[in-house]
């Protein structure tokens, strides 16, 4: 593995300041997709400009969608569900699972041939979870291991709505199926095993789609046409989480993070931190683009270890579990995370990557097939690998705030996947 772009982080005396984080990654992807499917001009403010969202924009442009980006404002000229053109080259989703899985939904509705691929990490991530329901809806899909791995080819057509029970909780898959229903006939019913983030359902309601949601069942009449959007994307909770974690474990801190999306499908991290003894203040709660938003005030807290095993909570905190494991290094006693096998099929095997990193900075940690155990202790510092995974890189940067010696992290440029401004914002907070 290329270990270039190593960055070192020294401990800090104090973290303080008022910050905002860039727009939400999940909502930005969805805003691009829904705008592309609408007929007319959409305007999305505070869209996330990062590698993952730009992978979505690039693929949509190749399919004929007009996308102009100025600063963090995107103006998108959508041509409607049947206005896309056959791509003459392979679509590349880069590192983005969200791009690949949602795009497969859109491509399945198109009466043309397309192929989608991704980088080394994405080509090793499971796609059957989305290709199985889309095939059941009538799309012709093929790929390695019976369409489980990219590159995947699609010949789409007018699909039919089905009643689908999802075996795995995944908002990406749910979204891919919902968007596929825009080019289908009949009724689409999706049954989720657990509640997952509902950004798509909220956005579609804002764009005039009648979608019924109750008790993990999402139902809609197919072939509805979304209206163009005019929205401002809230700050990304998953990006804010790094500064929430840093403020909590810092020797001294006083951080205000304004305009953070607090969709309940995303904030399991806050609930877990509270169970571990953290006190956090949320203020100025309001709605932005149909999404709940607030300002979050963070100061240091003394934490104790807990067992995290509730599946609903795991799903609501899935992207923050590597960070939680790192924070648990600073808690008194043991923290155990179970029922989190999904972590093994993220951008890297995040269970292995976190345990490996924790051991390298002097913390006792152990892997299980579906999780890990961390023994709180003295964080000595040392060298860790990000495994090219943006969230692993940022989690270990956070670990440095109260470590004894510096922590150096390889492949730190991976943060450009979701949060290119991470180091700049981190530096504005720190007094070394
Ligand atoms: C996402 C859903 C989650 C999450 C990912 C973004 C989304 O993945 O981990 O970072 O935008 O829908 P799954 O849908 O695979 O659970």
């Amino acid at each position: 593995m290329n270990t270039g772009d190593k960055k070192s982080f020294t401990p800090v005396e104090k973290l303080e300041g008022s910050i905002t984080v860039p727009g939400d990654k999940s909502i930005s992807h969805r805003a691009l997709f829904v705008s592309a499917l609408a007929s007319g001009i959409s305007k999305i403010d505070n869209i996330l400009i990062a590698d993952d969202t730009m992978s979505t924009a690039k693929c949509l442009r190749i399919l004929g969608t007009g996308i102009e980006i100025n600063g963090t404002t995107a103006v998108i000229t959508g041509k409607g569900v049947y206005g896309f053109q056959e791509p003459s080259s392979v679509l590349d989703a880069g590192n983005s699972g969200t791009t690949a899985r949602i795009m497969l939904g859109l491509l399945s509705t198109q009466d043309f041939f397309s192929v989608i691929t991704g980088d080394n990490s994405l080509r090793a991530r499971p796609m059957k979870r989305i290709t199985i329901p889309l095939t059941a809806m009538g799309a012709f899909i093929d790929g390695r291991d019976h369409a489980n791995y990219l590159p995947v080819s699609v010949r789409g057509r007018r699909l039919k709505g089905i009643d689908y029970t999802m075996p795995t909780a995944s908002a990406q898959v749910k979204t891919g199926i919902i968007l596929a229903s825009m080019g289908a006939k009949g009724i689409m019913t999706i049954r989720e095993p657990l509640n997952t983030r509902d950004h798509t359902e909220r956005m579609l309601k804002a764009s005039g789609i009648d979608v019924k949601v109750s008790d993990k069942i999402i139902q809609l009449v197919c072939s509805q046409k979304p209206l163009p959007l005019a929205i401002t994307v809230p700050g990304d909770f998953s990006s804010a989480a790094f500064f929430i974690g840093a403020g909590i474990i810092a020797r001294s801190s006083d951080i205000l993070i304004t305009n953070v999306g607090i969709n309940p499908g995303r904030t399991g991290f806050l609930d877990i931190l509270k169970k571990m003894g953290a006190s956090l203040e949320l203020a100025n709660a309001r709605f932005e683009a149909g999404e709940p938003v607030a300002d979050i005030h963070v100061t240091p807290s003394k934490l104790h270890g807990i067992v995290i095993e509730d599946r609903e909570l795991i799903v609501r905190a899935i992207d923050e579990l590597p960070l939680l494991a790192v924070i648990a290094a600073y808690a008194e006693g043991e923290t155990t995370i179970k029922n989190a096998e999904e972590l093994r099929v993220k951008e890297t095997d995040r269970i292995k990557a976190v345990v490996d990193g924790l051991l390298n900075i002097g913390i006792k940690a152990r892997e299980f097939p579906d999780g890990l155990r961390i023994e709180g202790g003295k964080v000595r510092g040392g060298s860790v690998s990000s495994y090219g995974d943006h969230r692993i890189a940022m989690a270990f940067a956070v670990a440095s705030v109260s470590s004894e010696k510096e922590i150096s992290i390889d492949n730190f440029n991976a943060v450009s996947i979701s949060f290119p401004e991470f180091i700049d914002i981190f530096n504005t907070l720190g007094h070394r």
Side-chain angles (χ1 to χ4, degrees):
M1 168 170 290
N2 164 25
T3 55
D5 194 48
K6 200 174 191 138
K7 288 266 182 301
S8 295
F9 295 86
T10 49
V12 290
E13 286 299 321
K14 181 163 190 180
L15 289 172
E16 70 179 335
S18 172
I19 55 172
T20 54
V21 290
D24 186 273
K25 179 157 85 73
S26 292
I27 298 174
S28 297
H29 280 295
R30 287 156 172 77
L32 288 165
F33 277 109
V34 173
S35 302
L37 284 160
S39 284
I41 297 181
S42 292
K43 184 164 169 277
I44 314 297
D45 285 312
N46 200 35
I47 194 161
L48 173 68
I49 307 296
D51 293 354
D52 265 15
T53 46
M54 292 307 102
S55 289
T56 291
K58 204 172 99 196
C59 293
L60 288 172
R61 281 189 181 117
I62 293 173
L63 295 171
T65 307
I67 303 179
E68 302 280 340
I69 298 179
N70 220 319
T72 57
T73 298
V75 175
I76 299 143
T77 309
K79 297 193 188 127
V81 180
Y82 297 110
F84 296 100
Q85 70 198 27
E86 185 172 69
S88 59
S89 57
V90 172
L91 300 168
D92 186 358
N95 190 248
S96 174
T98 310
T99 306
R101 295 186 179 125
I102 301 180
M103 185 58 82
L104 281 165
L106 186 156
L107 295 173
S108 293
T109 63
Q110 301 300 309
D111 185 14
F112 57 58
F113 175 77
S114 55
V115 179
I116 184 160
T117 191
D119 69 6
N120 290 339
S121 150
L122 189 56
R123 291 198 314 278
R125 296 180 64 188
M127 293 294 148
K128 254 187 198 163
R129 53 185 65 194
I130 180 69
T131 57
I132 286 176
L134 294 173
T135 302
M137 291 172 78
F140 297 103
I141 301 183
D142 207 352
R144 289 182 297 131
D145 184 25
H146 304 283
N148 196 24
Y149 295 111
L150 300 181
V152 159
S153 67
V154 186
R155 176 160 290 280
R157 59 170 171 158
R158 186 71 186 262
L159 304 174
K160 56 178 187 305
I162 57 171
D163 188 327
Y164 187 65
T165 301
M166 293 172 57
T168 312
S170 165
Q172 294 173 351
V173 171
K174 171 176 68 175
T175 302
I177 301 173
I178 294 177
L179 295 195
S181 79
M182 313 260 138
K185 320 183 255 234
I187 307 279
M188 186 73 226
T189 306
I190 304 166
R191 301 173 196 273
E192 293 193 279
L194 299 161
N195 285 307
T196 61
R197 60 190 73 187
D198 64 351
H199 303 305
T200 307
E201 296 88 315
R202 288 173 190 257
M203 191 177 291
L204 287 177
K205 281 180 188 161
S207 81
I209 301 282
D210 183 16
V211 46
K212 299 203 166 32
V213 183
S214 85
D215 192 24
K216 302 193 275 290
I217 301 173
I218 299 106
Q219 197 166 55
L220 68 165
V221 174
C222 295
S223 248
Q224 292 187 64
K225 295 182 176 54
L227 299 170
L229 297 169
I231 58 167
T232 301
V233 178
D236 195 323
F237 180 81
S238 295
S239 298
F242 295 107
F243 305 118
I244 298 172
I248 282 178
I249 62 171
R251 297 180 176 96
S252 168
S253 69
D254 188 355
I255 306 173
L256 183 68
I257 316 170
T258 58
N259 194 37
V260 185
I262 51 161
N263 182 305
R266 299 285 294 281
T267 50
F269 178 64
L270 297 182
D271 298 338
I272 295 171
L273 285 175
K274 284 181 195 151
K275 285 186 196 207
M276 294 175 82
S279 64
L280 287 154
E281 278 169 49
L282 268 62
N284 199 11
R286 59 204 184 272
F287 275 85
E288 185 80 77
E291 293 277 348
V293 172
D295 302 339
I296 304 178
H297 183 220
V298 192
T299 52
S301 290
K302 209 171 147 30
L303 303 178
H304 55 81
I306 58 167
V307 177
I308 306 159
E309 60 185 343
D310 177 76
R311 284 193 181 269
E312 194 99 39
L313 190 55
I314 294 282
V315 168
R316 293 177 52 240
I318 192 73
D319 291 341
E320 285 62 66
L321 291 178
L323 173 63
L324 265 167
V326 163
I327 292 169
Y330 285 96
E332 205 179 302
E334 276 182 0
T335 298
T336 305
I337 301 175
K338 292 187 199 162
N339 294 325
E341 51 283 292
E342 271 294 296
L343 289 178
R344 294 212 182 264
V345 291
K346 292 293 179 186
E347 284 81 331
T348 188
D349 176 342
R350 287 183 171 163
I351 296 179
K352 180 181 179 323
V354 170
V355 168
D356 184 50
L358 288 171
L359 294 172
N360 284 351
I361 59 173
I363 292 297
K364 290 194 181 124
R366 228 184 99 193
E367 275 187 53
F368 311 123
D370 66 339
L372 65 160
R373 177 168 298 144
I374 308 104
E375 211 178 286
K378 280 230 166 324
V379 178
R380 280 203 310 269
S383 272
V384 308
S385 174
S386 70
Y387 289 84
D389 182 321
H390 55 131
R391 299 203 195 283
I392 300 293
M394 292 185 276
F396 281 101
V398 167
S400 73
V401 301
S402 293
S403 58
E404 289 179 350
K405 296 209 174 91
E406 69 172 30
I407 296 182
S408 51
I409 303 157
D410 73 12
N411 276 306
F412 203 80
N413 50 2
V415 304
S416 65
I417 294 293
S418 65
F419 195 176
E421 302 85 345
F422 173 80
I423 290 197
D424 291 344
I425 298 179
F426 200 29
N427 284 342
T428 66
L429 291 174
H431 296 281
R432 292 186 163 84

